[in-house]
Amino acid sequence: MSGPKLFIWYHPTSFYSQKVLLYMKEKRLTNYDYKFDYDFVKNVNPKSEIPVVKIGDKIVPDSSTIIQTLEDTFKEGYPNLTPSDKGHHFEQLYNSLEIRTLTFGAMHNVELTTNREIPDEPRLNYLTKIATKRPAILKAQAEAHPDVAEIYNEKLQQTVNFKVDKARLECELVKLEVILEETEQHLLQMDEKSWLCGNNITLADIYLALLMRRLVYVGLAYRYWGNGKRPNLSAYYQRWSEKKSFKEVFYPTSA
C-alpha cells in the first residue's frame, strides 16, 4: 500500500477532528503526522476551522470533504469504508444531529446528565472561555487580519448569538431518542458480531461511534443505553471501546 504523505492539523477534543482521526485509523492510513497549529490553520483555511489535512501538496479543510477526498485517493489495498444504502441512511441521521447543541447544552444543563466524563473545572473553564474570551479573541483576529475580517466577524456574531436554552436541548434529545431507537431495532436484526452494514466497519459506524463517545463524554449516554436500556446499542459501543483505533483517538495515554 502506498500513497501521498498526510499531515493533519487538529484539536484532540474537537468532534470533527476525532471524526477524521478515527476514519484514518480505520482506513489503515499510517503515513501521517498531526499537530495543532492555529497560525497555520488560519493561513490555509479562511474559516480558521479544524481539522485541515494536507494530502501531498493539496490542502483540504472540512471533515466531510477530507474523508471523501481520502476515500477517493486511497483505494487499492485499503478497506472500502463507503456504506451501503442502509448505512448511508444511518450516516445521514447521525449527521443531522446538532453536536454543538448536545455538547454545550449538556455542559450548561448538568441536571440532565449522569456520569459525565468531563470534570467540572474544565467544563466551567470552557464555558467561561466561550462566553468571555472567545469573542475578544475573534475581535482581535478580525482587526489583525483585515483581509479575512468578514469571516472573523461572522464567527464573532455566531459566538455571541449562540445560546442553548433548555428547550432547544430537549428538542434535540427527543430527536436523538428516535434515531437511537431506530439504530437499536436495526442492530436487533443483525448478528451480534456485525457492524451496522454487516461484517465490515463503514463510515456509518464511525459516525455512530463518534456520536456515542460524545454522549458518554458529556453525560448523556445513560439516558439512552444505561441500566439495561437498548442492550444491542450498549454491546455495540462496548465493541468499539475495545478497539485499538478507538482507544488511540479517545484515550491516547492508555492505548
Side-chain angles (χ1 to χ4, degrees):
M1 296 187 291
S2 63
K5 173 77 174 182
L6 304 175
F7 203 104
I8 175 172
W9 288 266
Y10 83 116
H11 191 279
T13 61
S14 158
F15 179 86
Y16 298 101
S17 294
Q18 293 169 346
K19 173 180 172 182
V20 171
L21 280 176
L22 187 58
Y23 164 82
M24 291 172 70
K25 291 183 180 297
E26 288 298 326
K27 189 69 176 176
R28 299 174 193 165
L29 300 176
T30 58
N31 187 26
Y32 68 88
D33 293 310
Y34 53 89
K35 68 176 180 177
F36 179 67
D37 187 339
Y38 180 76
D39 289 333
F40 176 85
V41 170
K42 73 184 180 186
N43 289 330
V44 299
N45 182 7
K47 293 185 177 181
S48 296
E49 295 175 346
I50 51 174
V52 174
V53 168
K54 184 178 182 183
I55 306 173
D57 295 325
K58 183 179 181 180
I59 301 294
V60 184
D62 179 71
S63 61
S64 295
T65 304
I66 290 168
I67 287 174
Q68 189 57 59
T69 303
L70 292 174
E71 193 71 2
D72 293 339
T73 302
F74 296 90
K75 291 187 175 181
E76 186 175 354
Y78 295 90
N80 177 14
L81 300 183
T82 301
S84 63
D85 289 343
K86 186 64 175 178
H88 184 60
H89 164 74
F90 282 110
E91 182 184 344
Q92 289 181 314
L93 286 180
Y94 308 141
N95 280 332
S96 73
L97 291 162
E98 296 181 11
I99 298 301
R100 193 178 184 192
T101 296
L102 292 169
T103 299
F104 293 110
M107 287 184 179
H108 278 285
N109 299 279
V110 293
E111 72 279 4
L112 296 178
T113 67
T114 305
N115 298 330
R116 60 184 180 277
E117 284 192 1
I118 179 171
D120 275 339
E121 185 173 352
R123 177 182 66 83
L124 294 172
N125 287 344
Y126 194 72
L127 290 177
T128 300
K129 179 180 178 181
I130 292 296
T132 59
K133 296 182 180 179
R134 182 169 168 79
I137 291 172
L138 290 171
K139 185 177 181 180
Q141 289 292 340
E143 293 173 352
H145 304 279
D147 53 327
V148 289
E150 183 178 347
I151 293 173
Y152 284 111
N153 286 328
E154 181 181 349
K155 292 171 74 69
L156 173 60
Q157 288 304 311
Q158 290 174 351
T159 299
V160 171
N161 295 331
F162 182 76
K163 296 178 181 178
V164 183
D165 57 34
K166 198 169 183 178
R168 179 176 178 178
L169 172 62
E170 288 179 339
C171 182
E172 203 65 15
L173 293 179
V174 170
K175 180 180 177 182
L176 182 57
E177 182 83 31
V178 174
I179 290 174
L180 292 183
E181 179 58 27
E182 181 177 343
T183 304
E184 170 72 10
Q185 294 305 313
H186 173 73
L187 291 172
L188 183 61
Q189 301 172 33
M190 304 292 288
D191 184 274
E192 64 179 11
K193 294 184 179 180
S194 294
W195 299 100
L196 278 175
C197 301
N199 294 328
N200 299 316
I201 285 174
T202 71
L203 286 172
D205 293 288
I206 290 171
Y207 293 166
L208 178 55
L210 282 162
L211 171 62
M212 296 181 75
R213 167 61 196 153
R214 179 53 55 109
L215 296 177
V216 169
Y217 184 65
V218 298
L220 292 172
Y222 187 81
R223 67 187 291 153
Y224 294 109
W225 68 88
N227 197 29
K229 188 176 184 180
R230 299 195 175 98
N232 296 284
L233 198 62
S234 178
Y236 175 91
Y237 184 74
Q238 181 62 32
R239 289 175 62 203
W240 261 111
S241 68
E242 294 170 356
K243 285 179 62 65
K244 181 181 178 182
S245 60
F246 188 92
K247 293 177 182 177
E248 288 176 342
V249 172
F250 299 110
Y251 304 98
T253 58
S254 61

